[in-house]
């Protein structure tokens, strides 16, 4: 079991995790599985099959940005388990640019993958979530909550995830479905590997962070697991920063930074 987990907290429950081949998605899947969930992992990377096999989960390889992905994902989960209790919207892409340097293809790719695909998947899964008891947890970003130069399309899409969370919490609360999100800061994943090796990035982004380090994917997974559990039974419409304090405060870099 993952450190800090509670054995059996998700016993009898089925979770669908997107973008689960690696990083936050894989860590979340492992955490939920360790606590008793049955899982379907989805990703466009074929490696998702190995990630799923390692934790006894089912997998589906597909492009989540395709128009058919949501219905295919819901059908696969229902075919494998007969129910869906938890949806974790994690799939997304990084590497955005300033708006002035963004052509239509780049804008469409980021908005389609990081926002529209999430709306479609959520819409397809929604009819199958239990009322009450369903959970939707999505991955936004601190870039969707604060202005950061050079990331316009990515940041706008992630801001959309944050607002989707608030909107669906309002719409689905009376039915007993809870909708929340996490907003990670800098996480040690394949997406940030190049940045973390850059001295300027470390000085500009990590050094001002109160905890002065990047997070492990498992640290984000722990918050997602909380939001998906009964421990969060009176929490909805929230976008929780998992960012080492970056949104709340800035430290001046030390001379050695």
């Amino acid at each position: 079991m993952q450190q800090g987990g509670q054995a059996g907290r998700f016993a009898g429950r089925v979770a669908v995790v997107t973008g689960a081949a690696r990083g936050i998605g894989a860590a979340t899947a492992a955490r939920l599985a360790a606590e008793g969930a049955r899982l379907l992992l989805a990703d466009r990377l074929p490696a998702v099959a190995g990630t799923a096999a390692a934790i006894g989960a089912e997998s589906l390889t597909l492009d989540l940005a395709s128009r058919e992905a949501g219905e295919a994902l819901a059908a696969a989960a229902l075919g494998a388990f007969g129910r869906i209790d938890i949806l974790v919207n994690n799939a997304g892409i990084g590497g955005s640019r300033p708006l002035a340097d963004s052509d239509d293809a780049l804008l469409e790719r980021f908005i389609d993958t990081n926002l529209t695909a999430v709306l479609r998947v959520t819409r397809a899964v929604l009819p199958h979530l239990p009322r009450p008891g369903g959970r939707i947890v999505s991955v936004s970003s601190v870039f969707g909550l604060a202005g950061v130069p050079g990331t316009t399309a990515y940041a706008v899409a992630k801001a959309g995830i944050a607002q989707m969370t608030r909107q669906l919490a309002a719409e689905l609360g009376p039915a007993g479905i809870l909708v929340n999100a996490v907003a990670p800061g800098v996480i040690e994943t394949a997406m940030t590997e190049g940045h973390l090796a850059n001295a300027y990035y470390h000085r500009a982004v990590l050094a001002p962070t109160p905890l002065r380090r990047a997070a492990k994917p498992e640290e984000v997974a722990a918050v997602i697991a909380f939001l998906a559990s009964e421990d969060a039974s009176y929490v909805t419409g929230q976008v929780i920063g998992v960012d080492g304090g970056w949104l709340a405060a800035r430290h001046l870099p030390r001379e050695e930074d």
Side-chain angles (χ1 to χ4, degrees):
M1 185 175 69
Q2 297 289 329
Q3 184 177 4
Q6 300 177 25
R9 187 161 59 162
F10 297 107
R13 293 172 70 77
V14 172
V16 173
V17 182
T18 69
R22 59 190 184 185
I24 293 171
T28 299
R31 178 65 180 258
L32 297 179
E35 297 190 36
R38 294 178 293 166
L39 291 116
L40 173 67
L41 312 188
D43 204 296
R44 62 185 175 84
L45 299 176
V48 71
T51 302
I55 60 172
E58 299 293 323
S59 67
L60 181 64
T61 304
L62 82 169
D63 181 359
L64 288 154
S66 69
R67 289 184 176 273
E68 302 79 18
E71 298 297 338
L73 190 61
L78 293 171
F81 304 114
R83 61 183 295 163
I84 305 170
D85 300 284
I86 300 162
L87 171 63
V88 179
N89 288 308
N90 170 69
I93 57 172
S96 186
R97 299 175 185 170
L99 183 61
D101 299 329
S102 302
D103 58 18
D104 284 352
L106 183 144
L107 294 177
E108 289 170 5
R109 186 164 72 95
F110 274 89
I111 300 301
D112 285 352
T113 303
N114 289 352
L115 180 56
T116 306
V118 177
L119 289 166
R120 287 196 186 113
V121 167
T122 303
R123 183 180 62 190
V125 170
L126 186 55
H128 309 292
L129 292 176
R131 293 158 166 76
R135 298 286 191 274
I136 300 169
V137 185
S138 303
V139 177
S140 180
S141 169
V142 293
F143 285 17
L145 303 179
V148 180
T151 65
T152 302
Y154 176 83
V156 168
K158 289 299 186 179
I161 295 299
Q163 184 57 26
M164 179 198 80
T165 297
R166 292 183 283 263
Q167 183 67 29
L168 291 183
E171 292 181 5
L172 303 176
I177 295 175
L178 306 185
V179 187
N180 292 288
V182 294
V186 181
I187 314 298
E188 294 179 5
T189 68
M191 189 182 294
T192 61
E193 186 176 12
H195 294 305
L196 292 173
N198 182 289
Y200 173 78
Y201 185 86
H202 188 280
R203 187 170 67 254
V205 178
L206 290 184
T209 299
L211 293 189
R212 297 189 182 279
R213 66 173 177 87
K216 302 287 187 184
E218 290 77 12
E219 293 177 291
V220 184
V223 181
I224 293 173
F226 162 70
L227 293 172
S229 77
E230 287 303 313
D231 293 332
S233 59
Y234 201 62
V235 180
T236 196
Q238 303 305 306
V239 182
I240 298 178
V242 188
D243 63 354
W246 187 85
L247 281 169
R250 300 287 191 279
H251 273 230
L252 294 176
R254 299 167 295 190
E255 289 187 10
E256 59 266 32
D257 292 326

